[in-house]
Amino acid sequence: MEVLLLLLMFSTVVNGVLLTTTALVGEDVTLSYSPELSTDLTETPVKCYTDKMLRTNDFVFKKDKPPKDNSKLLSPAYRGRTRLSDEDLKRGIISLTLYNVTRADEDNYNFVLPSGRYMIALLIGAVSSANISLEVRPDCSCLVLRCESVGWYPRPQLSWWTDGGLRLPAVTLNTTLDPPGLYTISSTVVVERGQGARNYTCRVHQERFDQTRETEIALCEDQFSVLPPRPHQHWGLVPVPMLVCALVVVLGIARRNKTPKSSDCNEEQTSAFKLLVPDQNSDTRVV
């Protein structure tokens, strides 16, 4: 996953109102709040824990007075990943930095001071680059473009576009949730022969964090003449509509070959009927 820029929207619970901080996977985030005491908080004890720790004895951060080693009290997931700013404490501000955030860090963070308690909700997002691969299908007079992007949260949307701003209908669109809690999205689109040179863009967008990643591929008519070494190796990428179309054509040809023309059929049936039924005006008898 590529290195992501940090999004910050600082807020906290003030008079019962929950404010939020947002960040992207892989970056550092600071949970900051000023209790408006206008006093030096250097010697003030501070405890921080998440909602998931409510029924445990773990902490994200714990500062006592007098100071002592609380590393054994911290959750293993947060050891060595937090820092409380001494500079901000002198100005009466609580600023807890969390390094290299992951999807598992998304939670409500509860801060407890002698003067009161407050909460900051941390929302974690994840984005990733998109990659396009090309499959040549000269037997079907088309190209198949496949776009895949691994490592998104929340679930993103994928769309195909031409350089003229035309949105293309996707043949397939699949989204899966990986064990780390990140989404993988993939899609294929068919480009027919004869459309000329054109650029095609795969766009992946996540609405909550307003994140978009795009990748582009340029096609030309010469690429339709390229034959793959073993066409059957790429059979899995042939779109369903093309298979259905091919099946209809094959069945149509087979049916046409098996079914005689109506005039011939009527003539043959008439001849056969004459062989079995005697002429009413003839003396011939059928034995």
Side-chain angles (χ1 to χ4, degrees):
M1 185 180 303
E2 61 180 329
V3 177
L4 307 174
L5 296 177
L6 178 65
L7 297 177
L8 296 177
M9 296 166 49
F10 289 110
S11 52
T12 184
V13 170
V14 180
N15 296 327
V17 178
L18 177 64
L19 300 179
T20 304
T21 296
T22 63
L24 296 176
V25 168
E27 289 297 319
D28 307 333
V29 62
T30 299
L31 306 176
S32 182
Y33 171 64
S34 174
E36 299 181 356
L37 300 176
S38 300
T39 58
D40 188 343
L41 299 176
T42 304
E43 300 299 325
T44 302
V46 179
K47 293 187 294 185
C48 177
Y49 57 88
T50 66
D51 283 356
K52 297 175 184 176
M53 301 175 184
L54 287 176
R55 298 179 181 179
T56 70
N57 294 321
D58 291 336
F59 292 90
V60 174
F61 183 88
K62 192 173 187 295
K63 173 177 173 287
D64 291 318
K65 180 184 178 181
K68 60 181 180 180
D69 183 11
N70 291 314
S71 59
K72 294 182 179 180
L73 299 177
L74 302 184
S75 168
Y78 291 93
R79 291 176 188 170
R81 296 180 55 220
T82 60
R83 175 181 177 272
L84 192 64
S85 172
D86 292 332
E87 295 79 7
D88 285 346
L89 287 175
K90 293 178 181 179
R91 296 186 295 156
I93 300 174
I94 303 295
S95 295
L96 181 66
T97 299
L98 179 60
Y99 297 98
N100 191 24
V101 297
T102 67
R103 270 285 298 117
D105 293 329
E106 183 172 280
D107 208 334
N108 293 329
Y109 287 74
N110 302 272
F111 290 81
V112 179
L113 288 77
S115 59
R117 172 180 170 178
Y118 66 97
M119 180 189 299
I120 298 178
L122 176 59
L123 299 180
I124 302 297
V127 302
S128 180
S129 60
N131 298 296
I132 295 180
S133 58
L134 172 65
E135 293 293 339
V136 183
R137 313 298 286 169
D139 53 322
C140 302
S141 300
C142 70
L143 298 174
V144 176
L145 300 180
R146 185 177 189 273
C147 180
E148 182 178 68
S149 189
V150 180
W152 284 80
Y153 186 84
R155 182 174 180 170
Q157 302 295 323
L158 188 153
S159 57
W160 289 93
W161 301 84
T162 67
D163 49 7
L166 176 65
R167 183 166 181 171
L168 300 175
V171 174
T172 64
L173 181 60
N174 300 303
T175 306
T176 58
L177 184 61
D178 300 329
L182 301 178
Y183 287 95
T184 293
I185 190 167
S186 62
S187 177
T188 58
V189 69
V190 172
V191 180
E192 297 294 339
R193 186 191 298 271
Q195 291 185 351
R198 176 171 286 181
N199 295 334
Y200 295 87
T201 299
C202 171
R203 181 179 301 160
V204 185
H205 177 73
Q206 201 288 314
E207 185 174 359
R208 179 194 288 181
F209 290 83
D210 193 23
Q211 293 291 305
T212 301
R213 296 294 183 271
E214 294 183 350
T215 186
E216 185 178 272
I217 186 172
L219 299 183
C220 60
E221 285 298 318
D222 293 341
Q223 290 174 284
F224 286 90
S225 62
V226 179
L227 295 174
R230 295 181 180 180
H232 65 275
Q233 290 181 343
H234 309 291
W235 184 250
L237 287 178
V238 179
V240 173
M242 295 172 59
L243 293 177
V244 174
C245 180
L247 181 60
V248 170
V249 172
V250 171
L251 293 178
I253 294 176
R255 185 175 182 181
R256 184 180 60 186
N257 292 337
K258 291 182 179 181
T259 305
K261 297 181 180 179
S262 58
S263 57
D264 295 339
C265 179
N266 292 337
E267 182 177 351
E268 291 174 5
Q269 290 176 347
T270 303
S271 301
F273 186 80
K274 288 181 178 180
L275 292 175
L276 296 176
V277 180
D279 188 346
Q280 299 294 331
N281 298 324
S282 173
D283 294 331
T284 306
R285 297 290 184 269
V286 179
V287 180

